Amino acid sequence: MNIEHSHSTELSYLKKVKPAYAFDPQKESFDQWKVKSRAKLRELLGMDKFIKCDDNFVIESDEELSDHRKIRFTFTSEENSTVPCYFIIPKNKTCEKPPLMICLQGHGTGMHISLGIAKYEIDEPKIKNGDRDFSVQCIKKGICALVMDQRCMGERGGNPKPDCHGAALAALLTGRTLIGSRVFDIMRAIDVVEKEFSEYFDTDKIYCMGNSGGGTATFYVSALEDRIKAAIPSCAFCTFYNSIGEKHHCACNYIPHMAEYFDMAELAGMSAPKPLVIVSGVTDGIFPIDGAKAEFERAKLIYSASENPQNIVHAIGSEGHRFYAAEGWKNFEKLI
């Protein structure tokens, strides 16, 4: 007698489930769907469990370098949660108050990768071959950058390896989620930079980019935060079934009941009508390209009901799980 593997059992349920909040233009307008979907997404992420406190903003260093100014600061997003950040001001600004890009690293050694700094032996290949030096790219384009460590990564735990597992599961016990906490931190970071650094950037042009776990956070915060006007999530998009269902992923990706209401097309659709460039790698082993392409077609249908149907693009790189600067920025700059 063949005994089915338990993972296969759960996958069979996941494959059958259909998102209850899939957009149907015959039943409701796009605006009605978006309001309803955002409310449900906030509920699933446990966003009401995250409580603002005094930001306790502190500048720790301020360096003038050859092509940019780098300000290191910390702030408190919620009680017992300190967020280390860098605010980067390029010397060759595109204008007096250029846009600001929020830069989010994924499951790596920390935010120093975004700065183009290798702290560990494994960092150099990721910077050199993976286009993960996000703030360096921003400096070259004359725009400001906000670099921050996400929870359980870099200076916030598990250095050099991410330490998401325990925190992700403990969060679920109280109705919170680790993705929700990361979204909350990004929103609080926007509060802080608007208050402390608004003289340096255009507060109406705040963007967000990230790869892998940073791309996941970018997807979710872009879906909920209107102050983010455009986004470039990379190597974080696929069907739930083909990615975090079938493949081994970090516990921080899992949100109770999510697939009952949404798949990733719906998360992308909640960003509409803002510009959204979804970056994938053709040989990405954990966000497979076939699932990504199929889900993009669904996301495009949702965008088609918004006021800017052309504002969603799927940029596909020729390799695996990494960022693709040429493809990502080229498409992004066409939309903004």
mmCIF file of all heavy atoms in Angstrom, residues 212-247:
data_model
loop_
_atom_site.group_PDB
_atom_site.id
_atom_site.type_symbol
_atom_site.label_atom_id
_atom_site.label_comp_id
_atom_site.label_asym_id
_atom_site.label_seq_id
_atom_site.Cartn_x
_atom_site.Cartn_y
_atom_site.Cartn_z
ATOM 1 N N SER A 212 14.088 39.047 -3.535
ATOM 2 C CA SER A 212 13.792 37.882 -2.718
ATOM 3 C C SER A 212 12.939 38.299 -1.518
ATOM 4 O O SER A 212 11.849 38.829 -1.707
ATOM 5 C CB SER A 212 15.095 37.196 -2.301
ATOM 6 O OG SER A 212 14.851 35.938 -1.716
ATOM 7 N N GLY A 213 13.414 38.086 -0.285
ATOM 8 C CA GLY A 213 12.640 38.519 0.883
ATOM 9 C C GLY A 213 12.385 40.009 0.878
ATOM 10 O O GLY A 213 11.360 40.479 1.379
ATOM 11 N N GLY A 214 13.301 40.777 0.294
ATOM 12 C CA GLY A 214 13.067 42.213 0.130
ATOM 13 C C GLY A 214 12.020 42.487 -0.921
ATOM 14 O O GLY A 214 11.244 43.441 -0.822
ATOM 15 N N GLY A 215 11.976 41.642 -1.956
ATOM 16 C CA GLY A 215 10.926 41.765 -2.966
ATOM 17 C C GLY A 215 9.566 41.425 -2.395
ATOM 18 O O GLY A 215 8.561 42.069 -2.724
ATOM 19 N N THR A 216 9.521 40.419 -1.518
ATOM 20 C CA THR A 216 8.261 40.064 -0.865
ATOM 21 C C THR A 216 7.737 41.226 -0.037
ATOM 22 O O THR A 216 6.558 41.598 -0.122
ATOM 23 C CB THR A 216 8.458 38.823 0.026
ATOM 24 O OG1 THR A 216 8.839 37.715 -0.799
ATOM 25 C CG2 THR A 216 7.184 38.472 0.775
ATOM 26 N N ALA A 217 8.606 41.824 0.779
ATOM 27 C CA ALA A 217 8.193 42.982 1.578
ATOM 28 C C ALA A 217 7.747 44.128 0.681
ATOM 29 O O ALA A 217 6.778 44.837 0.989
ATOM 30 C CB ALA A 217 9.333 43.422 2.493
ATOM 31 N N THR A 218 8.434 44.300 -0.448
ATOM 32 C CA THR A 218 8.058 45.351 -1.400
ATOM 33 C C THR A 218 6.650 45.117 -1.934
ATOM 34 O O THR A 218 5.843 46.057 -2.039
ATOM 35 C CB THR A 218 9.064 45.407 -2.565
ATOM 36 O OG1 THR A 218 10.364 45.713 -2.059
ATOM 37 C CG2 THR A 218 8.679 46.462 -3.587
ATOM 38 N N PHE A 219 6.325 43.875 -2.293
ATOM 39 C CA PHE A 219 4.982 43.549 -2.778
ATOM 40 C C PHE A 219 3.912 43.938 -1.765
ATOM 41 O O PHE A 219 2.915 44.593 -2.087
ATOM 42 C CB PHE A 219 4.866 42.049 -3.061
ATOM 43 C CG PHE A 219 5.021 41.687 -4.497
ATOM 44 C CD1 PHE A 219 6.120 40.976 -4.916
ATOM 45 C CD2 PHE A 219 4.067 42.061 -5.429
ATOM 46 C CE1 PHE A 219 6.272 40.634 -6.251
ATOM 47 C CE2 PHE A 219 4.208 41.730 -6.764
ATOM 48 C CZ PHE A 219 5.322 41.004 -7.173
ATOM 49 N N TYR A 220 4.120 43.517 -0.527
ATOM 50 C CA TYR A 220 3.086 43.723 0.490
ATOM 51 C C TYR A 220 2.940 45.197 0.863
ATOM 52 O O TYR A 220 1.814 45.697 1.001
ATOM 53 C CB TYR A 220 3.384 42.872 1.726
ATOM 54 C CG TYR A 220 2.994 41.425 1.563
ATOM 55 C CD1 TYR A 220 3.916 40.468 1.156
ATOM 56 C CD2 TYR A 220 1.688 40.999 1.799
ATOM 57 C CE1 TYR A 220 3.556 39.135 0.995
ATOM 58 C CE2 TYR A 220 1.315 39.676 1.642
ATOM 59 C CZ TYR A 220 2.259 38.751 1.239
ATOM 60 O OH TYR A 220 1.888 37.427 1.082
ATOM 61 N N VAL A 221 4.060 45.893 1.036
ATOM 62 C CA VAL A 221 3.939 47.300 1.448
ATOM 63 C C VAL A 221 3.402 48.150 0.299
ATOM 64 O O VAL A 221 2.629 49.095 0.525
ATOM 65 C CB VAL A 221 5.282 47.848 1.984
ATOM 66 C CG1 VAL A 221 6.292 48.125 0.864
ATOM 67 C CG2 VAL A 221 5.055 49.115 2.809
ATOM 68 N N SER A 222 3.760 47.823 -0.924
ATOM 69 C CA SER A 222 3.220 48.556 -2.072
ATOM 70 C C SER A 222 1.713 48.358 -2.192
ATOM 71 O O SER A 222 0.977 49.274 -2.580
ATOM 72 C CB SER A 222 3.917 48.112 -3.361
ATOM 73 O OG SER A 222 3.399 48.785 -4.483
ATOM 74 N N ALA A 223 1.249 47.173 -1.831
ATOM 75 C CA ALA A 223 -0.189 46.881 -1.885
ATOM 76 C C ALA A 223 -0.974 47.718 -0.890
ATOM 77 O O ALA A 223 -2.160 48.023 -1.128
ATOM 78 C CB ALA A 223 -0.422 45.396 -1.621
ATOM 79 N N LEU A 224 -0.349 48.120 0.221
ATOM 80 C CA LEU A 224 -1.083 48.785 1.307
ATOM 81 C C LEU A 224 -0.743 50.266 1.497
ATOM 82 O O LEU A 224 -1.548 50.987 2.083
ATOM 83 C CB LEU A 224 -0.804 48.055 2.630
ATOM 84 C CG LEU A 224 -1.357 46.636 2.753
ATOM 85 C CD1 LEU A 224 -0.942 46.037 4.098
ATOM 86 C CD2 LEU A 224 -2.869 46.617 2.613
ATOM 87 N N GLU A 225 0.418 50.705 1.044
ATOM 88 C CA GLU A 225 0.906 52.040 1.387
ATOM 89 C C GLU A 225 0.860 52.979 0.186
ATOM 90 O O GLU A 225 1.626 52.835 -0.769
ATOM 91 C CB GLU A 225 2.341 51.931 1.925
ATOM 92 C CG GLU A 225 3.009 53.254 2.252
ATOM 93 C CD GLU A 225 2.224 54.087 3.241
ATOM 94 O OE1 GLU A 225 2.282 53.792 4.451
ATOM 95 O OE2 GLU A 225 1.549 55.049 2.778
ATOM 96 N N ASP A 226 -0.046 53.978 0.248
ATOM 97 C CA ASP A 226 -0.204 54.904 -0.869
ATOM 98 C C ASP A 226 0.936 55.909 -0.986
ATOM 99 O O ASP A 226 1.101 56.518 -2.045
ATOM 100 C CB ASP A 226 -1.530 55.656 -0.752
ATOM 101 C CG ASP A 226 -2.726 54.777 -1.089
ATOM 102 O OD1 ASP A 226 -2.565 53.873 -1.934
ATOM 103 O OD2 ASP A 226 -3.802 54.976 -0.495
ATOM 104 N N ARG A 227 1.717 56.096 0.064
ATOM 105 C CA ARG A 227 2.861 57.008 -0.039
ATOM 106 C C ARG A 227 3.952 56.422 -0.928
ATOM 107 O O ARG A 227 4.801 57.167 -1.433
ATOM 108 C CB ARG A 227 3.416 57.330 1.355
ATOM 109 C CG ARG A 227 2.513 58.227 2.177
ATOM 110 C CD ARG A 227 3.072 58.460 3.572
ATOM 111 N NE ARG A 227 3.144 57.217 4.348
ATOM 112 C CZ ARG A 227 3.646 57.126 5.584
ATOM 113 N NH1 ARG A 227 4.134 58.215 6.176
ATOM 114 N NH2 ARG A 227 3.656 55.958 6.217
ATOM 115 N N ILE A 228 3.950 55.122 -1.121
ATOM 116 C CA ILE A 228 4.848 54.498 -2.090
ATOM 117 C C ILE A 228 4.189 54.604 -3.455
ATOM 118 O O ILE A 228 3.120 54.044 -3.693
ATOM 119 C CB ILE A 228 5.138 53.035 -1.714
ATOM 120 C CG1 ILE A 228 5.960 52.990 -0.423
ATOM 121 C CG2 ILE A 228 5.872 52.322 -2.850
ATOM 122 C CD1 ILE A 228 6.211 51.600 0.103
ATOM 123 N N LYS A 229 4.819 55.338 -4.353
ATOM 124 C CA LYS A 229 4.212 55.678 -5.640
ATOM 125 C C LYS A 229 4.572 54.722 -6.763
ATOM 126 O O LYS A 229 3.942 54.756 -7.826
ATOM 127 C CB LYS A 229 4.625 57.101 -6.045
ATOM 128 C CG LYS A 229 4.287 58.174 -5.009
ATOM 129 C CD LYS A 229 2.794 58.248 -4.727
ATOM 130 C CE LYS A 229 2.469 59.400 -3.772
ATOM 131 N NZ LYS A 229 1.037 59.443 -3.414
ATOM 132 N N ALA A 230 5.595 53.883 -6.560
ATOM 133 C CA ALA A 230 5.988 52.912 -7.578
ATOM 134 C C ALA A 230 6.896 51.888 -6.915
ATOM 135 O O ALA A 230 7.514 52.171 -5.885
ATOM 136 C CB ALA A 230 6.713 53.592 -8.741
ATOM 137 N N ALA A 231 6.986 50.688 -7.520
ATOM 138 C CA ALA A 231 7.744 49.623 -6.863
ATOM 139 C C ALA A 231 8.397 48.692 -7.879
ATOM 140 O O ALA A 231 7.895 48.490 -8.983
ATOM 141 C CB ALA A 231 6.841 48.821 -5.930
ATOM 142 N N ILE A 232 9.542 48.108 -7.454
ATOM 143 C CA ILE A 232 10.260 47.108 -8.253
ATOM 144 C C ILE A 232 10.540 45.890 -7.368
ATOM 145 O O ILE A 232 11.635 45.737 -6.827
ATOM 146 C CB ILE A 232 11.603 47.639 -8.805
ATOM 147 C CG1 ILE A 232 11.515 49.087 -9.269
ATOM 148 C CG2 ILE A 232 12.093 46.745 -9.956
ATOM 149 C CD1 ILE A 232 12.853 49.661 -9.705
ATOM 150 N N PRO A 233 9.588 44.998 -7.193
ATOM 151 C CA PRO A 233 9.866 43.751 -6.467
ATOM 152 C C PRO A 233 10.530 42.731 -7.383
ATOM 153 O O PRO A 233 10.114 42.535 -8.525
ATOM 154 C CB PRO A 233 8.469 43.287 -6.039
ATOM 155 C CG PRO A 233 7.556 43.865 -7.080
ATOM 156 C CD PRO A 233 8.186 45.134 -7.583
ATOM 157 N N SER A 234 11.559 42.081 -6.873
ATOM 158 C CA SER A 234 12.330 41.152 -7.699
ATOM 159 C C SER A 234 12.393 39.770 -7.070
ATOM 160 O O SER A 234 12.559 39.629 -5.855
ATOM 161 C CB SER A 234 13.754 41.700 -7.879
ATOM 162 O OG SER A 234 14.608 40.744 -8.457
ATOM 163 N N CYS A 235 12.278 38.739 -7.919
ATOM 164 C CA CYS A 235 12.421 37.333 -7.516
ATOM 165 C C CYS A 235 11.623 37.030 -6.258
ATOM 166 O O CYS A 235 12.145 36.482 -5.277
ATOM 167 C CB CYS A 235 13.899 36.991 -7.342
ATOM 168 S SG CYS A 235 14.768 36.916 -8.925
ATOM 169 N N ALA A 236 10.347 37.391 -6.295
ATOM 170 C CA ALA A 236 9.451 37.172 -5.163
ATOM 171 C C ALA A 236 8.023 36.931 -5.644
ATOM 172 O O ALA A 236 7.097 36.960 -4.841
ATOM 173 C CB ALA A 236 9.484 38.376 -4.232
ATOM 174 N N PHE A 237 7.847 36.681 -6.939
ATOM 175 C CA PHE A 237 6.514 36.628 -7.536
ATOM 176 C C PHE A 237 6.295 35.306 -8.245
ATOM 177 O O PHE A 237 7.121 34.868 -9.052
ATOM 178 C CB PHE A 237 6.350 37.777 -8.526
ATOM 179 C CG PHE A 237 4.998 37.835 -9.186
ATOM 180 C CD1 PHE A 237 3.894 38.323 -8.507
ATOM 181 C CD2 PHE A 237 4.834 37.415 -10.502
ATOM 182 C CE1 PHE A 237 2.641 38.388 -9.109
ATOM 183 C CE2 PHE A 237 3.590 37.483 -11.125
ATOM 184 C CZ PHE A 237 2.495 37.967 -10.423
ATOM 185 N N CYS A 238 5.170 34.688 -7.948
ATOM 186 C CA CYS A 238 4.803 33.409 -8.565
ATOM 187 C C CYS A 238 3.417 33.072 -8.021
ATOM 188 O O CYS A 238 2.837 33.850 -7.259
ATOM 189 C CB CYS A 238 5.820 32.333 -8.163
ATOM 190 S SG CYS A 238 5.703 30.784 -9.085
ATOM 191 N N THR A 239 2.859 31.953 -8.397
ATOM 192 C CA THR A 239 1.694 31.468 -7.669
ATOM 193 C C THR A 239 2.163 30.960 -6.307
ATOM 194 O O THR A 239 3.299 30.495 -6.162
ATOM 195 C CB THR A 239 1.008 30.309 -8.416
ATOM 196 O OG1 THR A 239 1.924 29.212 -8.499
ATOM 197 C CG2 THR A 239 0.588 30.720 -9.815
ATOM 198 N N PHE A 240 1.304 31.031 -5.303
ATOM 199 C CA PHE A 240 1.665 30.459 -4.009
ATOM 200 C C PHE A 240 1.933 28.955 -4.139
ATOM 201 O O PHE A 240 2.851 28.423 -3.510
ATOM 202 C CB PHE A 240 0.554 30.702 -2.984
ATOM 203 C CG PHE A 240 0.470 32.121 -2.491
ATOM 204 C CD1 PHE A 240 -0.774 32.714 -2.259
ATOM 205 C CD2 PHE A 240 1.607 32.861 -2.234
ATOM 206 C CE1 PHE A 240 -0.862 34.018 -1.789
ATOM 207 C CE2 PHE A 240 1.532 34.165 -1.766
ATOM 208 C CZ PHE A 240 0.292 34.749 -1.541
ATOM 209 N N TYR A 241 1.127 28.284 -4.954
ATOM 210 C CA TYR A 241 1.292 26.836 -5.109
ATOM 211 C C TYR A 241 2.678 26.494 -5.645
ATOM 212 O O TYR A 241 3.374 25.622 -5.099
ATOM 213 C CB TYR A 241 0.216 26.271 -6.042
ATOM 214 C CG TYR A 241 0.347 24.770 -6.259
ATOM 215 C CD1 TYR A 241 -0.254 23.876 -5.371
ATOM 216 C CD2 TYR A 241 1.082 24.255 -7.328
ATOM 217 C CE1 TYR A 241 -0.128 22.502 -5.546
ATOM 218 C CE2 TYR A 241 1.216 22.888 -7.503
ATOM 219 C CZ TYR A 241 0.622 22.017 -6.607
ATOM 220 O OH TYR A 241 0.762 20.670 -6.774
ATOM 221 N N ASN A 242 3.100 27.156 -6.717
ATOM 222 C CA ASN A 242 4.370 26.823 -7.367
ATOM 223 C C ASN A 242 5.593 27.312 -6.610
ATOM 224 O O ASN A 242 6.705 26.846 -6.876
ATOM 225 C CB ASN A 242 4.406 27.400 -8.787
ATOM 226 C CG ASN A 242 3.414 26.746 -9.721
ATOM 227 O OD1 ASN A 242 2.627 27.422 -10.373
ATOM 228 N ND2 ASN A 242 3.419 25.436 -9.804
ATOM 229 N N SER A 243 5.411 28.252 -5.682
ATOM 230 C CA SER A 243 6.567 28.782 -4.955
ATOM 231 C C SER A 243 6.558 28.327 -3.508
ATOM 232 O O SER A 243 7.084 27.259 -3.183
ATOM 233 C CB SER A 243 6.604 30.312 -5.063
ATOM 234 O OG SER A 243 5.394 30.901 -4.586
ATOM 235 N N ILE A 244 5.919 29.070 -2.617
ATOM 236 C CA ILE A 244 6.010 28.734 -1.194
ATOM 237 C C ILE A 244 5.210 27.485 -0.832
ATOM 238 O O ILE A 244 5.329 26.969 0.278
ATOM 239 C CB ILE A 244 5.604 29.924 -0.293
ATOM 240 C CG1 ILE A 244 4.130 30.298 -0.471
ATOM 241 C CG2 ILE A 244 6.511 31.110 -0.554
ATOM 242 C CD1 ILE A 244 3.666 31.384 0.503
ATOM 243 N N GLY A 245 4.415 26.980 -1.774
ATOM 244 C CA GLY A 245 3.736 25.707 -1.570
ATOM 245 C C GLY A 245 4.647 24.537 -1.886
ATOM 246 O O GLY A 245 4.976 23.721 -1.026
ATOM 247 N N GLU A 246 5.103 24.470 -3.132
ATOM 248 C CA GLU A 246 5.916 23.334 -3.583
ATOM 249 C C GLU A 246 7.362 23.399 -3.114
ATOM 250 O O GLU A 246 7.987 22.364 -2.868
ATOM 251 C CB GLU A 246 5.916 23.268 -5.112
ATOM 252 C CG GLU A 246 4.633 22.743 -5.719
ATOM 253 C CD GLU A 246 4.802 22.479 -7.193
ATOM 254 O OE1 GLU A 246 5.284 23.370 -7.922
ATOM 255 O OE2 GLU A 246 4.459 21.362 -7.629
ATOM 256 N N LYS A 247 7.928 24.602 -3.017
ATOM 257 C CA LYS A 247 9.357 24.764 -2.742
ATOM 258 C C LYS A 247 9.619 25.036 -1.260
ATOM 259 O O LYS A 247 8.751 25.513 -0.535
ATOM 260 C CB LYS A 247 9.934 25.913 -3.577
ATOM 261 C CG LYS A 247 9.622 25.844 -5.059
ATOM 262 C CD LYS A 247 10.236 24.628 -5.729
ATOM 263 C CE LYS A 247 9.961 24.630 -7.233
ATOM 264 N NZ LYS A 247 10.511 23.427 -7.895
#
